[in-house]
Amino acid sequence: AQKVTQAQTEISVVEKEDVTLDCVYETRDTTYYLFWYKQPPSGELVFLIRRNSFDEQNEISGRYSWNFQKSTSSFNFTITASQVVDSAVYFCALSEARRGNNRLAFGKGNQVVVIP
Amino acid sequence: DTGVSQDPRHKITKRGQNVTFRCDPISEHNRLYWYRQTLGQGPEFLTYFQNEAQLEKSRLLSDRFSAERPKGSFSTLEIQRTEQGDSAMYLCASSPPGLNSPLHFGNGTRLTVT
């Protein structure tokens, strides 16, 4: 069964500090997809980034970067130079190709509080 | 792209009443999902439609829950004989075909059962 674990519950940082969110996943599928979503206080889940299991290249997109390590089943996410608008709950999610659809299994989320 | 819209945003009902929520997905998206989210938790999958066909249902979806997508466009989620444990945020999402396509979520319907 697919499972996503986000161990940290709430993380507080001072504005301009970097914040890294940890995500560990479990799957028996060999092809899968990993996502990070942001849920601001308004409630709407916003897609941030996606990584395919067969592509371990780490990337940077603006202030976001991610570190995908298949060997440790981890997909960590970093916000560089945090801003107050980054305050939100961040969810890591996994979908498995064997299901034939893009149903997501979510972790419990990390509450990020950026202090001005 | 007008986004996924859900109606109503909030619903307060008394235990035992029936409620129905509506979701309008992004027009060109053939896949539609319903999720439920309780406080402090991540969204939990309820059911999935591809066009008008309901292809997958979670064990969380008891007999009191039913979902439809009659013409492959909008969808409805009905809860019969509501219980206090049904209080949650109900989220709808849609996506185009493609296993790695991200889901696009609506703002959700917050249900409170008193």
Side-chain angles (χ1 to χ4, degrees):
Chain A
Q2 56 183 167
K3 185 178 174 183
V4 177
T5 302
Q6 295 177 254
Q8 310 133 301
T9 51
E10 182 167 328
I11 303 164
S12 293
V13 296
V14 176
E15 199 172 17
K16 297 184 184 175
E17 289 182 342
D18 297 347
V19 55
T20 295
L21 308 179
D22 299 331
C23 173
V24 175
Y25 61 90
E26 293 178 32
T27 177
R28 287 179 288 182
D29 209 347
T30 54
T31 301
Y32 51 90
Y33 309 94
L34 295 160
F35 301 80
W36 278 95
Y37 279 81
K38 174 182 179 180
Q39 189 173 41
S42 60
E44 182 179 350
L45 279 155
V46 178
F47 163 69
L48 297 177
I49 59 172
R50 169 188 58 213
R51 176 54 63 198
N52 304 329
S53 59
F54 43 85
D55 182 0
E56 289 193 66
Q57 182 177 355
N58 295 312
E59 293 185 16
I60 297 173
S61 175
R63 294 188 299 110
Y64 299 151
S65 62
W66 49 98
N67 185 350
F68 173 40
Q69 296 207 356
K70 230 172 172 176
S71 58
T72 55
S73 297
S74 65
F75 184 51
N76 298 337
F77 175 67
T78 298
I79 305 171
T80 302
S82 60
Q83 301 174 3
V84 172
V85 293
D86 296 327
S87 296
V89 181
Y90 290 82
F91 291 97
C92 181
L94 164 73
S95 69
E96 297 173 313
R98 67 181 175 86
R99 292 189 175 276
N101 61 55
N102 40 355
R103 162 185 167 176
L104 293 174
F106 287 87
K108 289 189 175 182
N110 300 124
Q111 172 78 60
V112 172
V113 177
V114 181
I115 303 165
Chain B
D1 183 351
T2 56
V4 178
S5 64
Q6 292 187 245
D7 184 68
R9 288 296 307 275
H10 304 274
K11 178 72 177 177
I12 300 174
T13 191
K14 291 186 178 179
R15 190 176 53 191
Q17 298 294 305
N18 299 343
V19 294
T20 300
F21 310 142
R22 177 180 171 121
C23 170
D24 287 90
I26 294 170
S27 58
E28 61 267 27
H29 288 181
N30 68 334
R31 296 181 174 189
L32 187 146
Y33 297 78
W34 285 97
Y35 281 79
R36 180 171 68 188
Q37 186 179 22
T38 53
L39 198 62
Q41 301 295 316
E44 295 174 299
F45 169 77
L46 292 179
T47 190
Y48 158 65
F49 289 86
Q50 183 167 303
N51 299 312
E52 67 277 7
Q54 188 175 20
L55 297 184
E56 192 172 353
K57 290 196 292 187
S58 164
R59 283 172 287 182
L60 292 176
L61 213 63
S62 77
D63 291 344
R64 296 184 298 106
F65 287 69
S66 62
E68 294 183 342
R69 195 183 181 197
K71 295 182 180 179
S73 55
F74 73 92
S75 176
T76 57
L77 177 68
E78 181 183 16
I79 309 174
Q80 295 182 325
R81 305 181 303 282
T82 52
E83 301 173 356
Q84 286 187 321
D86 297 332
S87 295
M89 176 76 85
Y90 289 84
L91 296 165
C92 178
S94 69
S95 79
L99 293 178
N100 64 346
S101 298
L103 302 189
H104 298 257
F105 284 83
N107 284 322
T109 294
R110 182 168 295 286
L111 173 66
T112 303
V113 182
T114 62

